[in-house]
Amino acid sequence: MDMSVFDLFKIGIGPSSSHTVGPMAAARRFLVEYGPLDQVVGVEAALYGSLALTGVGHATDKAVILGLMGETPQDVAPDAVDSKLAAIEAAGEIALLGTHVVPFTAATGLIWHKSESLPEHPNGMRFTLKLADGSRVDKVYYSIGGGFIREAGEAQAEAAVESAASARVVFPFDTMQQLLAHGVESGLSIPEMLRANECVKRSETELNEGLDRIWHVMRDCIAHGLETTGNLPGGLNVKRRAAKLWRLAQEAKASDNRANDLPHDAVHLVSLYAMAVNEENAAGGRVVTAPTNGAAGIIPAVLRYYAQDCRPSDPVGGVRRFMLTAAAIGMLCKRNASISGAEVGCQGEVGVACAMAAAGLVAALGGTNEQIENAAEIGIEHHLGMTCDPIGGLVQIPCIERNGMGAVKAITAASLALKGDGTHFVSLDEVIETMRQTGADMQDKYKETSLGGLAVHVITVNHAAC
């Protein structure tokens, strides 16, 4: 498959890879591919399906405007977003790609089609340019999860390109069975095979530097989340909890009286790391898709657990093996099912992230390829059927706690796999296919629309109380 570790791990901003990162990239791509803008007199963006239903809570409106300005998810400064958007509203105009000024306000330039979806994916958007001669140019794009975007009709072309690219890598694979077979034939581990594939596209130094940068951003995100207090934006007035709970944990650790320590305190810290990341994500901060923003806390939390609590002799090498292995699992899930909550529910986000983290931890700790597969299978299996039902369309409840629970499950899955010999009843390929079919059978109201599940129940209860 023509996918890289850096496709799965992308630096961006919160709160959503499919609703924020993807639309920002799509808006910019539309203008860049159009070419010279001198004849453009106006611009519109129409959002459909899940993007329209939960777009405001997921900051899709802000992301589209930033993309039209030429901003990119990896480079935009989170602290400057609100001031940039306020300046546009005050002026009633936008500088497309930062250079060509046309009239624009969010009220007139963004169109929300909440009862209509485009055919190729629930996260559809149509961008339109109005030209001086009265004509219009438009294109449709889809945000297909994890920050990946696709132009309408591009799927078939992508398949042909992917087929040709797969032939160029050292160890081509579309299933875990194929990857395991390569391992038996070559005698290499999964992270070693992924490294060989990556080094077809870039040097060993570039690969290591890229992996280290991703881990650096993840570490910074955890650290910032563990020291930031206050309420999260969006109107639910959800309080950040990670910083307070972290402070209490540190105070207890420093105390001479450890009588109140509990056996699960180490696991509690792992869940705090994950929650810290997803509080940062919910606040629109700098995060790494892993493989999505909604599930961005699980892999960083388990990585920190590995680097800090597992006392590795080679932490740098272990982190790199972890990330390469996790990426392999993410690639398989994306190719053979989905990592989009709007397409298959949260099993494709938190479930996949849990599987990636479990497999990565086993690899970092020296497990066999069969144990890696077993850990990933356990991680997904116990998230099958998980819905995506964010209250108020915000990536806060239940998303933040789900990351904490997913991180703990990943460590449990890794532990179970490492205690076995790699043999197990259900294969990873079978459980990924099960996830795909479960997502296809799941009612749309449970797939990132806020039309079912917790989103409806809690709002109904609150309205009744009023």
Side-chain angles (χ1 to χ4, degrees):
M1 64 182 73
D2 186 28
M3 236 182 291
S4 164
V5 61
F6 302 113
D7 292 327
L8 273 297
F9 298 119
K10 293 191 284 285
I11 298 170
I13 62 169
S16 172
S17 49
S18 60
H19 287 57
T20 310
V21 175
M24 190 187 304
R28 186 179 186 276
R29 174 179 162 181
F30 171 62
L31 295 179
V32 169
E33 291 184 350
Y34 174 74
L37 301 171
D38 21 329
Q39 297 302 307
V40 175
V41 297
V43 64
E44 287 181 352
L47 305 166
Y48 295 82
S50 178
L51 288 183
L53 287 164
T54 63
V56 173
H58 286 72
T60 306
D61 48 349
K62 297 180 179 180
V64 166
I65 295 171
L66 289 167
L68 293 174
M69 295 171 64
E71 297 283 0
T72 61
Q74 64 270 25
D75 293 323
V76 65
D79 293 341
V81 167
D82 288 341
S83 62
K84 288 177 181 286
L85 298 175
I88 289 172
E89 286 300 305
E93 57 187 23
I94 184 172
L96 300 179
L97 296 182
T99 60
H100 183 72
V101 177
V102 298
F104 183 89
T105 66
T108 59
L110 299 178
I111 304 166
W112 306 84
H113 295 281
K114 295 186 177 182
S115 59
E116 183 180 354
S117 288
L118 297 177
E120 295 181 25
H121 193 278
N123 292 334
M125 60 202 112
R126 184 189 305 276
F127 297 101
T128 302
L129 289 179
K130 304 173 188 178
L131 305 182
D133 63 4
S135 62
R136 299 163 71 94
V137 176
D138 64 37
K139 277 189 179 182
V140 169
Y141 293 88
Y142 296 94
S143 181
I144 59 176
F148 290 86
I149 57 173
R150 184 173 69 207
E151 186 180 340
E154 208 169 44
Q156 290 184 338
E158 281 181 351
V161 171
E162 182 175 299
S163 177
S166 293
R168 294 195 298 268
V169 299
V170 184
F171 299 103
F173 67 98
D174 291 326
T175 65
M176 176 54 81
Q177 183 178 8
Q178 292 173 352
L179 192 55
L180 290 173
H182 283 313
V184 171
E185 184 177 347
S186 67
L188 297 177
S189 67
I190 287 175
E192 287 171 335
M193 289 186 285
L194 264 289
R195 176 172 287 277
N197 284 353
E198 290 289 332
C199 287
V200 171
K201 310 165 191 174
R202 55 186 57 84
S203 71
E204 190 102 12
T205 299
E206 288 172 330
L207 174 60
N208 288 335
E209 288 177 349
L211 293 173
D212 294 346
R213 172 163 163 70
I214 294 294
W215 175 220
H216 179 78
V217 174
M218 287 179 172
R219 287 202 316 268
D220 283 354
C221 187
I222 293 174
H224 197 265
L226 289 177
E227 63 184 22
T228 306
T229 59
N231 288 2
L232 294 172
L236 294 181
N237 294 318
V238 172
K239 289 184 178 180
R240 286 179 178 253
R241 289 180 290 167
K244 179 181 178 181
L245 293 173
W246 174 252
R247 176 176 55 79
L248 292 174
Q250 297 310 297
E251 289 174 355
K253 184 177 180 180
S255 172
D256 291 334
N257 180 9
R258 304 298 298 275
N260 293 325
D261 281 6
L262 297 173
H264 62 255
D265 279 353
V267 173
H268 171 62
L269 294 184
V270 171
S271 67
L272 289 190
Y273 304 151
M275 289 173 62
V277 170
N278 282 83
E279 287 178 354
E280 284 294 290
N281 178 61
R286 176 75 65 218
V287 297
V288 175
T289 63
T292 67
N293 281 28
I298 294 171
I299 287 173
V302 179
L303 266 171
R304 177 159 169 169
Y305 165 79
Y306 163 74
Q308 186 169 289
D309 295 324
C310 294
R311 302 182 185 89
S313 58
D314 176 22
V316 174
V319 167
R320 293 169 181 169
R321 292 193 299 274
F322 185 119
M323 296 181 72
L324 289 166
T325 304
I329 305 304
M331 291 173 191
L332 290 169
C333 292
K334 184 182 183 304
R335 187 194 187 284
N336 298 320
S338 176
I339 58 172
S340 167
E343 196 168 23
V344 297
C346 199
Q347 60 176 352
E349 296 201 34
V350 165
V352 170
C354 177
M356 292 170 67
L361 182 57
V362 170
L365 293 174
T368 66
N369 290 347
E370 290 73 22
Q371 289 172 324
I372 289 169
E373 188 223 5
N374 189 13
E377 182 274 324
I378 294 170
I380 293 180
E381 183 180 345
H382 296 288
H383 286 92
L384 286 175
M386 179 177 278
T387 60
C388 184
D389 51 355
I391 295 175
L394 300 167
V395 192
Q396 298 178 16
I397 304 172
C399 318
I400 294 170
E401 287 183 354
R402 278 186 181 174
N403 275 258
M405 299 298 291
V408 173
K409 280 187 178 182
I411 294 172
T412 302
S415 177
L416 287 171
L418 285 168
K419 287 178 171 63
D421 61 4
T423 59
H424 50 288
F425 195 80
V426 180
S427 73
L428 177 62
D429 291 329
E430 289 170 332
V431 82
I432 290 174
E433 173 58 19
T434 302
M435 180 175 70
R436 186 193 68 77
Q437 292 184 16
T438 302
D441 292 340
M442 190 182 292
Q443 294 183 44
D444 286 344
K445 68 180 181 179
Y446 296 118
K447 295 191 283 190
E448 207 169 2
T449 59
S450 290
L451 296 176
L454 283 174
V456 170
H457 175 73
V458 172
I459 290 174
T460 300
V461 170
N462 287 345
H463 283 177
C466 294

